[in-house]
Amino acid sequence: MKNILIIGSTGQIGSELAMKLRSIYGGSNVVAGYIPGAEPKGELAESGPMEVVDITNAQQIADVVKKYNVDTIYNLAALLSAVAENKPLLAWHIGIDGLLNVLEVARENKCAVFTPSSIGSFGPNAPKDGTPQDTIQQPRTMYGVTKVSGELLSNYYALKFGVDTRSVRFPGLISYVTPPGGGTTDYAVDIYYSAVKGEKFICPIKAGTFMDMMYMPDALRAAIEIMEADPTKLRHRNSFNIASMSFDPEVIYASIKKYIPTFEMEYQVDALRQGIADSWPNKLDDTCARMEWGWNPEYDLDSMTRDMLDKLSKRLK
Ligand code: SER
């Protein structure tokens, strides 16, 4: 990777990935793509170039790729799962029509492409525990439908046209920087904000609902390491299961309570999110990622909780 374009650079993943990529590859070599209304601010705006890149506008993507001689595109434009259920056509337009634009530009300009998939690419008939790398993927959500279709489309472009597409299936991502918007796993971010603000947390997901989660520093490393991996070692491309921790609301609550004993939580289950969560795996098997490109997470629940509480209490002061 020499010249990188991030589409969706001000979102939950993009805002942190952009800064991390700039620290490794140089500020001027990483273009922060954004849509009007979501302009980069602060450090992100000051540390390198930024351009309007709407994923639904193929010409805009092509122009920026040519202008900066881009060789790698991080395609991070997407609606999260709960929002996508309410706006299914827009979710498809961004997730699939948008991806097709990216893949065509990549084919014409010989770019590598990273497009995240998700635990949401599985449905209720996939094995729940130790969900294998290669198994049945029949999601019931529009988010999942776009993720599976995106995996297939990306593999097709690799096989048919030799486009270097690679991807990981992200778990719920937890970070203290940019909040997620409208995902099913968002509760695992919100709970830390309530804890640090000294508020009772109202949990929208039922006790006993286990989902894969990951701390953002591990997720960023995964996104970079997969694109830097030796292609001769990759048997899979789109998309690798990755995992680091799996918990339900009771487990994360107990992990926070260890450090903030007065913290309280009560349940008010959100039917939409609960339905989505119930259709997703409890815990993925990430053996292939470990074997094929050395995936190895650093954070577990306890080390993440300590870091989240520490960083958030400084930010919210
Ligand atoms: N975090 C995503 C969501 O909840 C899952 O990949 O929508």
Side-chain angles (χ1 to χ4, degrees):
M1 291 196 276
K2 289 199 182 75
N3 296 312
I4 302 165
L5 166 63
I6 304 178
I7 302 179
S9 70
T10 57
Q12 189 203 9
I13 303 173
S15 54
E16 289 188 63
L17 184 64
M19 295 311 298
K20 173 115 187 170
L21 288 170
R22 282 181 174 168
S23 74
I24 301 171
Y25 300 94
S28 58
N29 300 323
V30 179
V31 184
Y34 67 96
I35 48 170
E39 286 81 7
K41 295 193 181 77
E43 242 191 330
L44 182 57
E46 286 149 21
S47 55
M50 53 195 244
E51 294 280 351
V52 172
V53 182
D54 181 338
I55 193 162
T56 63
N57 183 335
Q59 193 57 51
Q60 228 166 46
I61 306 170
D63 290 347
V64 172
V65 162
K66 289 198 176 86
K67 178 171 168 190
Y68 292 90
N69 206 10
V70 166
D71 58 45
T72 305
I73 303 174
Y74 277 90
N75 165 22
L76 304 179
L79 297 188
L80 286 181
S81 55
V83 179
E85 280 314 283
N86 290 321
K87 297 180 182 168
L89 297 187
L90 183 61
W92 179 270
H93 190 45
I94 293 172
I96 299 303
D97 299 334
L99 172 60
L100 203 56
N101 289 339
V102 172
L103 291 171
E104 271 299 297
V105 171
R107 180 174 73 78
E108 282 164 4
N109 296 276
K110 304 206 177 334
C111 303
V113 179
F114 174 88
T115 306
S117 185
S118 161
I119 52 173
S121 68
F122 297 102
N125 52 359
K128 282 249 174 232
D129 293 295
T131 311
Q133 170 67 40
D134 300 312
T135 187
I136 192 159
Q137 285 177 283
Q138 295 183 337
R140 299 249 175 105
T141 61
M142 179 50 97
Y143 180 72
V145 169
T146 64
K147 290 302 180 190
V148 180
S149 310
E151 291 186 11
L152 294 172
L153 204 51
S154 299
N155 276 339
Y156 179 80
Y157 266 73
L159 285 168
K160 179 90 176 173
F161 303 120
V163 177
D164 187 359
T165 56
R166 307 181 188 190
S167 168
V168 296
R169 293 180 184 133
F170 278 133
L173 299 182
I174 295 163
S175 123
Y176 55 86
V177 181
T178 307
T184 302
T185 56
D186 294 11
Y187 91 88
V189 178
D190 300 339
I191 193 171
Y192 286 107
Y193 279 82
S194 295
V196 169
K197 288 183 190 159
E199 294 166 358
K200 181 194 268 186
F201 180 61
I202 309 296
C203 187
I205 297 290
K206 262 189 220 155
T209 311
F210 280 78
M211 287 184 275
D212 275 299
M213 303 279 180
M214 184 174 289
Y215 200 29
M216 189 61 89
D218 277 332
L220 300 180
R221 233 172 13 82
I224 296 170
E225 286 175 11
I226 179 73
M227 294 313 283
E228 290 289 10
D230 174 355
T232 63
K233 302 243 164 69
L234 298 182
R235 280 209 318 109
H236 298 82
R237 278 184 171 273
N238 304 282
S239 175
F240 282 93
N241 282 2
I242 56 169
S244 64
M245 61 185 94
S246 166
F247 54 74
D248 83 326
E250 290 295 316
V251 174
I252 186 172
Y253 174 56
S255 155
I256 296 173
K257 229 173 141 62
K258 211 165 102 187
Y259 300 98
I260 308 180
T262 54
F263 182 44
E264 288 178 49
M265 175 170 88
E266 89 178 33
Y267 290 96
Q268 271 175 33
V269 172
D270 175 287
L272 172 64
R273 285 180 168 78
Q274 185 63 44
I276 296 174
D278 287 340
S279 76
W280 287 356
N282 297 339
K283 191 169 186 9
L284 303 189
D285 178 345
D286 63 358
T287 310
C288 288
R290 290 173 185 265
M291 306 277 289
E292 292 178 39
W293 49 278
W295 161 245
N296 193 15
E298 278 170 15
Y299 285 88
D300 61 11
L301 176 56
D302 189 55
S303 52
M304 175 175 79
T305 293
R306 273 187 276 124
D307 203 54
M308 277 296 282
L309 295 177
D310 175 50
K311 299 280 172 34
L312 263 188
S313 45
K314 286 177 187 141
R315 280 175 83 93
L316 298 178
K317 239 184 215 160

